[in-house]
Amino acid sequence: MTTPVVARPKPCLVNLKGGRTYYWCACGLSAKQPFCDGSHSGTTFQPLKFTAAAQGEEVLLCGCKHTRNPPFCDGAHTNLPGGSPVDDPASPQNRDIPLVTERSGARALLNGDCYIISPRLAEMNTRGHLRYCYLVNAELGSLYQTQILLEVSGGASPVLSLGKRDVILFIGAGKGTVTISGKPFSVQTTDGVYIRPSEALQLIAEPGETLRVFVLACPLGEIEWLEQMPDNFDSQQPERVVSVDPAQRTEMGPRYFQILVDKRIGSRVITQFIGHIPPSKAAPHRHLYEEAIIVLSGEGCMWTEDRKAPVAAGDVIFLPRKQLHSLEATSAGGMDVVGVICPGDNPSINYYD
Ligand code: FES
């Protein structure tokens, strides 16, 4: 036996007891998954011993035994047989799930604080050349992140800051400059940008362009308007803009994604990715992170326990931690999305019952 047995093609959600030592099954033969029961005896495999650091820590331990980060799931199960199950949207059970057509303001409400917000229906505030609105915040049910849409045309936005928070931008449309605490960066559509805690930013659209920028901050917070640009650019982290590069894609079953902003350029608790969903409905699953997804192209449907709602290019989906869900792409060309997960660094980790 040279490769482990796939005990189950998904991780096990475990609530660890602080200070306790555990033995994770590496061979896949144990009947007490994800832990060792001695069944590795006579094989070349040994269980992995580890001690839980924090009381009540919830972790996803690998059940497929192919993780590159044992004992934790790293998403490798999604590329194993049975690891990326799909669901039939036309099954009798799914046919009974009603389509949500009513709105609360700009939002369609799904189960458990999950919602879809259409910025085109949201009320925009104006400040000089800037228009803005909040898409995700504590008032709307978020625990970890704030998302704000900024649009600037005809000049420069006011200088603003999100205080001592990690901030990620996504350039949704247009060309221009993002100045971070005095240092300018040229940006264009689909770029991701990282801003360190306490730094400030200003957006400048190129003539004739509208620069449309999604701002994601963690932890929760609000815009602080500044009179002038501070001189506190963190030169320890000079790289700030990440562009789309098909060579950097990660396969995830029939889907793929590319990490844009993450810990490699300094973002500590939030991770941004851009991805593609072919026409399909993933089996309902959950994540341990909170997520905000911007639909860039295509159409589809967001499903939760007993509700579903249409989504289309321009919409933003807010997904609370642990919420059961399934995002279905219905367009022939699939859907392109950009997402931010928080707290987390790997969008391919999911679990299901
Ligand atoms: S269950 Fe093994 S990597 Fe996820």
Side-chain angles (χ1 to χ4, degrees):
M1 180 177 168
T2 52
T3 52
V5 170
V6 176
R8 42 187 263 153
K10 56 185 178 180
C12 306
L13 179 63
V14 176
N15 208 317
L16 298 177
K17 292 193 166 53
R20 183 190 269 197
T21 296
Y22 295 88
Y23 292 85
W24 172 74
C25 164
C27 66
L29 297 173
S30 170
K32 291 187 180 169
Q33 292 299 328
F35 301 113
C36 174
D37 71 352
S39 297
H40 61 276
S41 177
T43 74
T44 55
F45 289 92
Q46 290 294 322
L48 182 79
K49 178 182 175 183
F50 69 101
T51 302
Q55 177 65 21
E57 188 186 0
E58 283 185 309
V59 294
L60 290 170
L61 297 182
C62 172
C64 76
K65 313 303 170 185
H66 285 69
T67 176
R68 288 140 298 191
N69 182 32
F72 305 105
C73 170
D74 73 346
H77 66 271
T78 55
N79 289 316
L80 294 173
S84 247
V86 289
D87 193 20
D88 177 8
S91 70
Q93 194 183 2
N94 283 336
R95 273 207 306 267
D96 285 345
I97 293 184
L99 188 71
V100 175
T101 51
E102 71 274 17
R103 294 206 165 236
S104 168
R107 296 187 302 151
L109 306 179
L110 295 167
N111 294 104
D113 285 340
C114 177
Y115 63 82
I116 296 159
I117 185 164
S118 302
R120 67 192 156 76
L121 301 177
E123 204 171 311
M124 301 291 276
N125 303 291
T126 302
R127 199 168 172 113
H129 292 291
L130 179 71
R131 290 166 15 101
Y132 69 98
C133 67
Y134 283 80
L135 301 174
V136 175
N137 62 11
E139 205 179 317
L140 300 175
S142 172
L143 296 177
Y144 298 93
Q145 57 184 298
T146 294
Q147 186 169 137
I148 310 156
L149 174 62
L150 307 180
E151 284 182 356
V152 64
S153 53
S157 74
V159 179
L160 60 104
S161 164
L162 274 300
K164 293 181 180 174
R165 296 174 178 83
D166 281 278
V167 177
I168 292 179
L169 311 183
F170 179 73
I171 311 301
K175 267 187 183 176
T177 302
V178 176
T179 301
I180 304 173
S181 285
K183 191 163 166 62
F185 293 87
S186 292
V187 293
Q188 59 183 8
T189 308
T190 70
D191 282 346
V193 181
Y194 176 55
I195 296 169
R196 304 278 289 169
S198 299
E199 290 179 336
L201 73 127
Q202 183 177 42
L203 307 177
I204 304 156
E206 282 192 6
E209 296 271 345
T210 295
L211 197 54
R212 195 159 201 259
V213 177
F214 294 86
V215 179
L216 204 299
C218 176
L220 287 164
E222 295 201 349
I223 297 175
E224 297 168 20
W225 305 103
L226 305 183
E227 290 299 316
Q228 57 187 35
M229 180 66 79
D231 182 23
N232 64 342
F233 181 80
D234 184 351
S235 54
Q236 303 278 319
Q237 189 64 57
E239 300 293 327
R240 299 305 183 89
V241 180
V242 185
S243 299
V244 170
D245 175 4
Q248 301 299 318
R249 285 176 184 166
T250 299
E251 304 288 331
M252 187 183 165
R255 306 172 176 216
Y256 61 77
F257 67 88
Q258 179 200 334
I259 297 288
L260 291 175
V261 173
D262 74 342
K263 56 194 172 199
R264 292 170 301 177
I265 63 165
S267 180
R268 300 163 306 171
V269 286
I270 35 179
T271 298
Q272 180 189 52
F273 64 94
I274 188 163
H276 178 75
I277 303 171
S280 60
K281 178 183 186 299
H285 58 275
R286 307 174 197 267
H287 305 289
L288 285 183
Y289 48 74
E290 196 175 83
E291 186 171 17
I293 301 167
I294 305 162
V295 180
L296 301 178
S297 68
E299 293 182 352
C301 190
M302 184 67 176
W303 301 64
T304 53
E305 283 91 345
D306 60 11
R307 299 175 145 234
K308 64 182 180 190
V311 290
D315 289 343
V316 173
I317 303 164
F318 171 65
L319 187 58
R321 190 172 178 265
K322 290 186 169 181
Q323 171 60 48
L324 187 74
H325 68 283
S326 165
L327 180 53
E328 175 195 8
T330 55
S331 303
M335 283 169 70
D336 290 316
V337 298
V338 66
V340 175
I341 62 172
C342 177
D345 62 5
N346 185 342
S348 62
I349 299 177
N350 56 41
Y351 69 103
Y352 46 98
D353 305 327

